[in-house]
Amino acid sequence: MIRIRINDQEIEAVEGQTVLEAARQAGIYIPSLCYSPDLKPYGGCRMCVIEIDKMRGLPTACTTPITEGMVMRTETPALSDARKAILDLLLAEHPLDCVSCVKNERCELQDVARYLGISESRLPRNSRVQAIDDSNPFFTLDRNRCILCARCTRACDEITGNNAIEIVDRGYESRVGTVADRPLVETNCASCGECVAHCPVAAFIPKDYVKPEGPVSTICPYCGVGCSINLEISRGKIVGVSGDLNNPISNGRLCVKGRYGIKEFVHHPDRLTNPLIKRDGEFVESAWDEALEYACSKLYQYRPEEVAVIASAKATNEENYLIQKFARAVLKTNNVDHSARLCHAPTVTGLAAAFGSGAMTNSIGDLKESACFFILGANTSETHPIIGFDIKQAVKNGAKLVVANPVKIPLVRYADVYLQINPGSDVMLLSAMCKIINDEGLLDQEFIDQRTEEFDQFKKSLKKFDLEQAVAVTGVPLEDIRKAARLYASSKPASILYAMGVTQHRHGTDNVSAVANLAMLTGNLGKPGGGVNPLRGQNNVQGACDMGALPDVLPGYQKVSDDQVRARFESAWGVKLPPAPGLSLLEIIDAVDRKQIKALYVVGENLMLSDPDLNHLKKALMKLEFLVVQDIFMNETAELARVVLPSTTFAEKEGTFTNTERRVQRLRKAINPVGYSKPDWWITAQLGKRLCGKGFDFSNSTQIFEEIRSLTPSYAGITYERVQNNGMQWPCPSINHPGTPILHVEAFTRGKGVFKAVKYLPPAESPDTEYPFILTTGRSLYHFHTGTMTRRVRGLKQLQPMETLEIAATDAVGLEIEDNDLVNVSSRRGSVRARARISKRIKPGTIFMTFHFPETATNILTNAVRDPVAKIPELKVAAVKIEKV
Ligand SMILES: Nc1nc2c(c(=O)[nH]1)N[C@H]1C(S)=C(S)[C@@H](COP(=O)(O)OP(=O)(O)OC[C@H]3O[C@@H](n4cnc5c(=O)[nH]c(N)nc54)[C@H](O)[C@@H]3O)O[C@H]1N2
Ligand SMILES: Nc1nc2c(c(=O)[nH]1)N[C@H]1C(S)=C(S)[C@@H](COP(=O)(O)OP(=O)(O)OC[C@H]3O[C@@H](n4cnc5c(=O)[nH]c(N)nc54)[C@H](O)[C@@H]3O)O[C@H]1N2
Ligand code: SF4
Ligand code: SF4
Ligand code: SF4
Ligand SMILES: [Mo]
């Protein structure tokens, strides 16, 4: 602490603070315009000038660090004159239509003018008319209101790393510009709105700005980063979203979906508002009682092996807990699974075998301590954009970056080494890196000796490993593999981040084992900035797994086959539980197909677009005797149902989500349920009550969470009270435990880490003369999965209106395909149509499609062949042919 004097007031401040920060903390107002707490000090507007004893001139408070004994004044006639002179210049150019301006009463220029007692410039009006950029669907840049504080351009640079805008030209001509003066939508702007959030005036402004009454703090419903958001409410409706500066993950930052992709889907007229029962092929609205009675009367008829339940990674922990409890305690089946099966199932199997826990080892917050990132099979800046921001910042601060991906994703621009590997060849790449590290002595022998086992056998496997074969299979030059290996092994600590490019393969578990080997070989575990970091996808997929929405484990990954575990749950729930593990997601579909499973209860998952081999899936689902779907929209799966139950969205309920770094965070109800929709926990509890009578008598989510705590050791110390503000990371075994930001610090969860020699196996399908291309699939920034939410947001649809098939120029020439041509893509399982986009991003021989659009149902093409351990399908590799229509 340092003692300083401001305006004769003695103040204690933290060393390293600037005068402006110290003054604000002490409640002393110094006017400023270019300052923002999350940006580097700039000193551009000079509004925060002050007088400091023994210092000449008028320094700016935002750039002056405090020193012991500093004495200063913030309000003197000289300061006031200086500030008024600056304001005169600004107001001479700025429109004076405050009363009709949307930013009225929320404008920092207005605040400063009021403080200085000025309402008009003393200088002659300067009426330069500047271009307005309204190309972005969500916001406008009106340069006529701009005061050139550079907060937007600095935010775009320092926070997002996108550098889509900058202050161009000088003096009188200076303005917020883009490369070659192109409209914003044609630049690499990611529509994140950080510029808008930072603009002190109405220059960068949302297009449909409504003044809110007050915010409700909750969690973004899209991806697993788990950004904290403030829902701005007016007259019972969401009118805007802002970031939460106090959240340790997002620190106020948001991506386009979180900031602009929420209010329209929540309030969309397509929302399901009443229960529906299908009669003579048509859905008829019904009352809750009738729909629930009907569903129960049907579900009641089936034996345990004839029913299955699909839980939801979009729903809360409390809801997933009840869904699996309903399956196990009421329907007496362990046939319960969810989209994690299509996602990080190999992470759970692979990392649990290697380390004893299948979760992300480190925290988002400690990425800034990494000296090197190895990102493979993940498109982080589009799928986990806030983590993408962190990585770009770290790289700017000197961290190294290695990217392995068949597609030149946006992060490649920042990479030291880019490995454009063939889809499905990761085991080869990772083993080659391990061999090079071992041969060159770059391994961490001490870590290996003390913390791991089975190294000798792994080392032996490396001896036999053929680097030339790795080059042939991966399609990456040996020199590049060597560079990547050296960079990763010699920059400490180094962090591996991976996602679907690694897991969605027939040998996904082997890929994950190979990742674990690489991290153990270099000792990159159990320390800040290191780790093996599987980026979990859905907002609550981590939580749905934690809650036991899986066929083999109860909450907290406690095995259903373990008699003692079952005994504990049986006594708590007062029922007998089935001991044999149930069927996984695609095994359930197989059982439906062979008419073993006759009834299915699906909560918040759109199988009919997200599962592989959709033609086969549809045939199977048509054989069901009874299908209940519980969703917020009538999706492609619900259309096949007999009963559809309308759920509320995240914005209409209480509960918790667990993000990718195991942080349990609090969801808060911001608006009343739309129509007669009900929270998922209420619906499942009603079904449970009617069918079982006991164990479902909950009147709020808190009561459910208390039951979860009592049965889940890793959540035992977590309470709503404790996660009120910033959440807590499990394991948290007791009420005094602080939570666990980094796993495996002293020892691995399983004791020692275990190496596993993995053999490369090719994907199930390779290109041949009939199907000469490899289709790989994934996501784009602007849409989420099957698009039920994002396709209902006009701006997101405008930014990406339809599916595009990305194809390399050399391949397109061979097929006489030009940009935007309609093409037919076929695999052994079916065909779809899409527009072609000739792309410099994609490796020749490979094409890329998303699965966001029902009119181009990409999963008609994909292969349901699956990993024998994790049971994940090979969504990332299918052989296809392409014909111009
Ligand atoms: N905008 C947006 N964000 C999302 C989602 C969304 O739908 N939209 N979904 C969320 C969910 S549930 C998930 S699981 C995550 C997924 O997040 P990611 O895994 O990052 O997303 P994907 O696009 O599926 O795949 C990642 C990358 O793998 C590459 N790839 C394909 N095959 C291979 C291969 O064999 N090896 C390697 N090394 N790379 C390969 C692809 O080119 C792609 O760039 O995103 C989450 N975030
Ligand atoms: N080809 C290909 N296919 C893939 C993938 C791939 O990379 N390539 N990735 C796979 C992966 S990783 C995943 S995670 C899956 C995702 O597959 P899904 O989970 O099926 O995809 P979503 O579109 O997110 O479906 C979620 C559903 O939940 C509904 N919903 C939203 N909020 C709520 C709520 O609060 N309550 C209820 N009841 N419903 C709600 C939505 O309307 C939507 O219908 O897709 C998989 N499929
Ligand atoms: S929206 Fe984001 S990427 Fe686009 S200009 Fe603004 S800050 Fe930059
Ligand atoms: S647009 Fe707004 S944030 Fe950007 S320089 Fe102008 S006034 Fe500042
Ligand atoms: S990064 Fe993920 S959690 Fe954060 S705002 Fe974007 S979609 Fe939401
Ligand atoms: Mo996922």
Side-chain angles (χ1 to χ4, degrees):
M1 293 302 268
I2 281 187
R3 298 174 73 79
I4 56 171
R5 250 185 124 71
I6 305 182
N7 304 338
D8 294 329
Q9 189 181 334
E10 194 82 35
I11 285 167
E12 283 225 323
V14 185
E15 190 168 359
Q17 278 186 323
T18 63
V19 172
L20 188 68
E21 285 162 349
R24 292 225 165 161
Q25 203 163 43
I28 298 168
Y29 178 70
I30 303 177
S32 74
L33 288 168
C34 73
Y35 170 79
S36 180
D38 53 350
L39 298 175
K40 288 186 200 133
Y42 184 63
C45 74
R46 298 203 46 84
M47 195 53 82
C48 67
V49 284
I50 48 167
E51 291 176 1
I52 302 179
D53 275 8
K54 298 189 205 117
M55 211 183 268
R56 283 165 38 144
L58 303 177
T60 46
C62 71
T63 55
T64 308
I66 50 168
T67 55
E68 182 64 45
M70 204 179 230
V71 176
M72 68 203 88
R73 287 158 302 281
T74 68
E75 295 182 37
T76 67
L79 289 174
S80 184
D81 285 348
R83 289 173 184 151
K84 282 178 181 164
I86 299 165
L87 195 63
D88 276 336
L89 286 169
L90 293 175
L91 291 185
E93 275 212 85
H94 195 85
L96 297 173
D97 55 357
C98 292
V99 182
S100 61
C101 175
V102 291
K103 214 58 186 287
N104 191 20
E105 300 303 329
R106 291 189 121 206
C107 168
E108 293 178 39
L109 184 63
Q110 219 176 18
D111 295 344
V112 171
R114 203 165 279 154
Y115 170 80
L116 293 174
I118 286 188
S119 59
E120 236 172 284
S121 180
R122 292 166 295 184
L123 302 173
R125 261 209 92 63
N126 178 355
S127 42
R128 134 167 103 139
V129 179
Q130 295 202 76
I132 294 175
D133 185 338
D134 66 355
S135 62
N136 188 286
F138 298 113
F139 53 80
T140 305
L141 166 58
D142 180 354
R143 295 185 176 87
N144 299 298
R145 294 184 182 275
C146 173
I147 57 169
L148 289 172
C149 67
R151 269 156 72 164
C152 57
T153 53
R154 286 181 291 140
C156 192
D157 170 28
E158 291 172 30
I159 295 177
T160 80
N162 288 333
N163 301 90
I165 46 175
E166 56 182 3
I167 305 282
V168 296
D169 290 345
R170 296 182 161 240
Y172 184 71
E173 290 299 318
S174 86
R175 64 189 182 281
V176 176
T178 59
V179 175
D181 277 329
R182 287 215 303 269
L184 258 171
V185 274
E186 291 173 27
T187 67
N188 65 332
C189 165
S191 302
C192 66
E194 285 301 327
C195 47
V196 181
H198 281 81
C199 185
V201 295
F204 261 120
I205 190 84
K207 280 191 170 159
D208 51 358
Y209 186 82
V210 175
K211 210 158 131 189
E213 286 150 15
V216 177
S217 165
T218 187
I219 305 301
C220 174
Y222 283 111
C223 89
V225 175
C227 297
S228 171
I229 55 176
N230 292 318
L231 293 179
E232 313 275 9
I233 310 297
S234 174
R235 299 172 186 215
K237 284 196 156 188
I238 303 168
V239 294
V241 175
S242 60
D244 174 356
L245 281 166
N246 299 319
N247 184 260
I249 313 154
S250 49
N251 297 308
R253 303 166 299 171
L254 295 175
C255 80
V256 59
K257 293 181 296 304
R259 197 184 301 278
Y260 299 119
I262 288 179
K263 66 178 178 195
E264 277 181 67
F265 92 76
V266 169
H267 295 292
H268 201 281
D270 289 352
R271 277 283 303 280
L272 290 169
T273 52
N274 278 291
L276 302 171
I277 298 176
K278 203 179 259 167
R279 295 208 166 95
D280 303 323
E282 296 280 327
F283 282 117
V284 181
E285 285 187 357
S286 89
W288 269 108
D289 247 342
E290 188 191 1
L292 291 167
E293 265 321 303
Y294 180 60
C296 287
S297 71
K298 287 285 180 186
L299 289 173
Y300 181 74
Q301 296 171 7
Y302 298 101
R303 293 198 306 272
E305 65 278 15
E306 294 176 333
V307 285
V309 178
I310 311 294
S312 178
K314 298 235 74 82
T316 63
N317 286 323
E318 294 75 1
E319 291 163 346
N320 279 289
Y321 174 83
L322 280 199
I323 293 165
Q324 61 86 37
K325 182 177 182 181
F326 177 74
R328 296 185 157 116
V330 180
L331 302 178
K332 305 280 181 207
T333 181
N334 284 314
N335 293 339
V336 51
D337 204 1
H338 72 286
S339 64
R341 189 64 49 195
L342 309 172
C343 190
H344 270 294
T347 294
V348 176
T349 52
L351 291 191
F355 307 152
S357 163
M360 180 163 164
T361 63
N362 285 55
S363 296
I364 296 169
D366 84 16
L367 291 174
K368 57 180 169 300
E369 320 216 7
S370 305
C372 177
F373 301 103
F374 180 22
I375 304 184
L376 74 162
N379 181 7
T380 314
S381 64
E382 295 197 71
T383 55
H384 298 87
I386 299 306
I387 297 180
F389 288 175
D390 284 332
I391 285 162
K392 286 184 258 181
Q393 263 189 33
V395 169
K396 278 192 181 169
N397 292 333
K400 303 291 177 206
L401 174 62
V402 179
V403 172
N405 197 312
V407 178
K408 214 179 252 175
I409 52 169
L411 276 180
V412 170
R413 225 178 90 201
Y414 306 81
D416 296 279
V417 185
Y418 170 48
L419 313 168
Q420 189 162 43
I421 69 168
N422 288 323
S425 65
D426 297 74
V427 161
M428 272 292 182
L429 174 72
L430 291 158
S431 303
M433 287 174 70
C434 285
K435 183 179 173 78
I436 292 164
I437 289 167
N438 183 56
D439 291 356
E440 298 189 2
L442 297 171
L443 68 184
D444 186 339
Q445 195 65 52
E446 197 185 318
F447 183 89
I448 295 167
D449 292 343
Q450 289 174 2
R451 300 279 314 264
T452 70
E453 56 196 30
E454 310 277 336
F455 179 63
D456 289 342
Q457 151 262 355
F458 176 65
K459 199 168 166 173
K460 238 183 256 158
S461 77
L462 291 182
K463 223 177 210 127
K464 287 184 290 187
F465 187 82
D466 180 0
L467 287 177
E468 289 309 316
Q469 198 199 348
V471 170
V473 172
T474 58
V476 178
L478 185 57
E479 252 342 277
D480 290 349
I481 303 181
R482 218 180 273 286
K483 255 195 245 164
R486 288 176 184 159
L487 206 54
Y488 172 76
S490 56
S491 326
K492 294 270 166 75
S495 168
I496 301 178
L497 297 101
Y498 75 86
M500 297 303 99
V502 165
T503 57
Q504 289 172 338
H505 294 278
R506 173 166 75 133
H507 47 261
T509 306
D510 289 348
N511 281 346
V512 173
S513 301
V515 167
N517 289 342
L518 179 63
M520 286 189 288
L521 186 66
T522 50
N524 272 309
L525 284 157
K527 39 192 89 142
V532 170
N533 297 303
L535 302 176
R536 303 298 304 246
Q538 288 268 32
N539 54 324
N540 197 36
V541 66
Q542 182 66 57
C545 292
D546 298 347
M547 293 302 109
L550 298 168
D552 55 339
V553 288
L554 282 148
Y557 306 93
Q558 304 177 80
K559 295 217 166 353
V560 286
S561 54
D562 183 323
D563 293 343
Q564 276 177 359
V565 166
R566 250 186 2 270
R568 202 145 16 95
F569 280 86
E570 284 173 345
S571 94
W573 291 350
V575 291
K576 269 315 261 176
L577 291 174
L583 300 175
S584 64
L585 184 59
L586 295 189
E587 289 170 330
I588 290 172
I589 302 305
D590 291 346
V592 170
D593 192 37
R594 59 172 188 268
K595 294 190 176 172
Q596 175 204 315
I597 287 181
K598 298 177 178 147
L600 196 56
Y601 171 32
V602 178
V603 183
E605 192 159 317
N606 193 5
L607 310 172
M608 272 306 300
L609 281 183
S610 61
D611 276 20
D613 196 358
L614 292 179
N615 287 339
H616 168 79
L617 175 76
K618 186 164 188 182
K619 260 188 231 146
L621 292 184
M622 299 300 280
K623 295 181 188 171
L624 278 171
E625 291 177 9
F626 188 64
L627 172 64
V628 198
V629 169
Q630 184 171 311
D631 208 283
I632 57 173
F633 289 111
M634 176 58 71
N635 65 18
E636 288 68 18
T637 313
E639 273 162 18
L640 304 179
R642 283 281 281 283
V643 178
V644 178
L645 303 172
S647 309
T648 61
T649 66
F650 81 106
E652 296 143 77
K653 64 190 176 191
E654 303 278 336
T656 54
F657 287 159
T658 305
N659 83 343
T660 183
E661 47 159 22
R662 300 169 275 105
R663 189 184 296 273
V664 180
Q665 303 193 96
R666 190 74 163 74
L667 205 68
R668 291 185 186 83
K669 178 170 177 255
I671 54 167
N672 285 326
V674 168
Y676 292 102
S677 65
K678 294 280 189 186
D680 289 294
W681 65 261
W682 183 91
I683 305 173
T684 308
Q686 285 295 316
L687 294 173
K689 252 193 222 172
R690 280 162 206 255
L691 278 174
C692 183
K694 62 182 173 195
F696 290 88
D697 216 358
F698 299 104
S699 45
N700 56 48
S701 65
T702 321
Q703 294 169 350
I704 308 169
F705 195 81
E706 285 300 310
E707 184 171 311
I708 294 171
R709 285 182 61 205
S710 70
L711 289 163
T712 313
S714 53
Y715 279 64
I718 301 176
T719 62
Y720 272 21
E721 182 89 84
R722 293 188 83 194
V723 297
Q724 185 119 272
N725 293 319
N726 292 330
M728 292 188 78
Q729 288 169 281
W730 67 254
C732 178
S734 66
I735 201 73
N736 301 318
H737 192 284
T740 310
I742 304 177
L743 297 178
H744 320 302
V745 175
E746 302 291 332
F748 284 96
T749 308
R750 72 177 288 284
K752 290 210 162 174
V754 54
F755 280 96
K756 185 177 171 217
V758 278
K759 236 182 82 189
Y760 165 75
L761 285 169
E765 291 185 337
S766 303
D768 55 25
T769 45
E770 200 184 350
Y771 297 100
F773 290 95
I774 286 299
L775 163 71
T776 194
T777 62
R779 296 150 168 83
S780 78
L781 173 66
Y782 295 112
H783 286 289
F784 207 82
H785 295 158
T786 71
T788 59
M789 294 146 76
T790 50
R791 279 186 291 102
R792 289 188 166 88
V793 179
R794 280 163 304 171
L796 294 174
K797 264 214 97 168
Q798 187 181 326
L799 288 165
Q800 194 193 347
M802 62 182 164
E803 182 62 57
T804 48
L805 174 151
E806 282 189 62
I807 183 167
T810 45
D811 292 334
V813 168
L815 295 164
E816 295 180 4
I817 291 171
E818 286 176 22
D819 232 359
N820 222 22
D821 276 353
L822 195 61
V823 297
N824 215 22
V825 203
S826 321
S827 74
R828 291 182 173 83
R829 294 155 291 277
S831 38
V832 298
R833 281 184 177 191
R835 298 258 163 213
R837 180 163 71 206
I838 298 175
S839 163
K840 290 198 185 95
R841 307 198 312 162
I842 186 114
K843 183 156 191 158
T846 304
I847 62 163
F848 180 87
M849 293 171 76
T850 72
F851 59 111
H852 301 316
F853 301 92
E855 53 291 0
T856 308
T858 302
N859 275 323
I860 286 178
L861 306 170
T862 50
N863 195 346
V865 62
R866 58 198 88 133
D867 180 296
V869 190
K871 312 282 165 75
I872 191 172
E874 191 145 78
L875 293 163
K876 287 285 185 268
V877 184
V880 295
K881 65 178 168 202
I882 301 162
E883 297 143 315
K884 196 169 154 174
V885 176

